[in-house]
Amino acid sequence: MHPFLKNGLAVLAGICVGGIVNFGIILISSSIVAPPEGVDVSSVESIKANIHLYKPIHFLFPFLAHAIGTLAGALLTIKLSKNIKSAYVIALIFLYGGISMVTQVPGPLWFSVLDLGLAYIPMAWLATKISG
């Protein structure tokens, strides 16, 4: 298989798996850490209107979803493509999603900095180290 096609398919697979992991963690998060009273987590408008009710614990699972989703996608992409640079492609794609999330659902500045600074590029780096 042509390396460009192989790498492209590996990145596509990494995006899919990373997205599924991210979504799965977000899906189970409200059963582990209940959202603030009166917040409909299925509505971005409800989250935006009630973000002031969120405590630091409520931001744990979104961070874990972003970090572990990126890590899983990067690991799979490296495994399939045999190219560690592909992990950073995954991280940049997920970082774009993180930036989009931060602009659409404004949260506390500390969370935005933590999330954008640690959940994406460092996870790609970690994936390269785990992959050897």
Side-chain angles (χ1 to χ4, degrees):
M1 182 181 296
H2 192 276
F4 184 78
L5 181 59
K6 181 180 177 183
N7 291 340
L9 291 173
V11 167
L12 187 58
I15 292 168
C16 291
V17 167
I20 290 168
V21 169
N22 185 327
F23 180 72
I25 293 171
I26 292 296
L27 199 60
I28 65 166
S29 68
S30 61
S31 64
I32 298 170
V33 177
E37 191 70 33
V39 178
D40 177 8
V41 294
S42 66
S43 165
V44 174
E45 294 306 316
S46 176
I47 294 170
K48 285 165 117 175
N50 295 294
I51 199 74
H52 64 282
L53 299 174
Y54 279 70
K55 297 186 178 351
I57 190 70
H58 293 111
F59 295 96
L60 174 63
F61 280 93
F63 174 78
L64 290 175
H66 300 161
I68 297 170
T70 302
L71 180 63
L75 283 169
L76 178 66
T77 301
I78 292 170
K79 183 174 177 67
L80 295 176
S81 72
K82 308 291 190 245
N83 180 353
I84 63 171
K85 292 177 186 173
S86 61
Y88 292 101
V89 173
I90 294 294
L92 289 173
I93 291 167
F94 277 64
L95 176 61
Y96 175 77
I99 292 168
S100 176
M101 184 270 314
V102 165
T103 59
Q104 291 176 23
V105 184
L109 179 61
W110 66 265
F111 175 71
S112 298
V113 170
L114 179 76
D115 190 58
L116 297 177
L118 296 179
Y120 304 103
I121 304 298
M123 290 300 114
W125 175 83
L126 183 60
T128 66
K129 297 304 171 197
I130 291 171
S131 296

